[in-house]
Amino acid sequence: QVQLVESGGGLVQAGGSLKLSCAASGRTWSGYDLGWFRQSPGKEREYVARIRWDDGSTYYANSVKGRFTISRYNAENTVHLQMNSLKPEDTAVYYCAARWGIIGSYNFWGQGTQVTVSS
């Protein structure tokens, strides 16, 4: 059974940092693309960053490029999102997701973790 469990959310002041973690279990992740998405109240869910499990290639939304870093730790099947220079507009529920390959829909999702950035 595939499980993606996020942790690390919380309340932080603008300019601060948080590190989110996603524990991915239930299968071998070779060939998968793991990503982070976020959703604020009244807004659609938006893509934040993704990483290819096999070679560690990373990709970012323009809104977080230079501030967020996605990484994976193969030995523990975890994906991290280091978030620096946080802004109030980064406030959202952050979700970890997985998909086979590099195109198509993400079909595995975590339950989300709340990140709140105060001004």
Side-chain angles (χ1 to χ4, degrees):
Q1 180 181 356
V2 172
Q3 273 196 313
L4 301 175
V5 180
E6 303 95 336
S7 61
L11 173 64
V12 64
Q13 287 190 328
S17 298
L18 277 176
K19 184 175 184 178
L20 305 183
S21 297
C22 172
S25 62
R27 66 180 54 208
T28 302
W29 296 104
S30 177
Y32 276 78
D33 188 287
L34 278 84
W36 286 95
F37 292 76
R38 65 188 183 187
Q39 188 167 22
S40 305
K43 294 186 178 181
E44 292 190 356
R45 185 168 56 197
E46 65 171 344
Y47 157 78
V48 175
R50 64 182 179 91
I51 187 167
R52 294 183 62 181
W53 192 264
D54 290 339
D55 64 9
S57 298
T58 57
Y59 308 86
Y60 298 91
N62 287 336
S63 59
V64 306
K65 200 172 293 184
R67 299 188 298 122
F68 290 11
T69 302
I70 188 171
S71 60
R72 64 151 174 29
Y73 185 33
N74 290 30
E76 294 185 353
N77 280 350
T78 56
V79 177
H80 302 287
L81 185 69
Q82 177 66 47
M83 306 185 295
N84 298 328
S85 301
L86 282 161
K87 305 174 182 179
E89 52 262 43
D90 294 318
T91 295
V93 177
Y94 283 71
Y95 298 91
C96 178
R99 67 179 176 188
W100 171 260
I102 58 172
I103 59 174
S105 300
Y106 284 80
N107 47 4
F108 300 111
W109 292 85
Q111 82 289 349
T113 186
Q114 176 70 46
V115 172
T116 302
V117 184
S118 63
S119 56

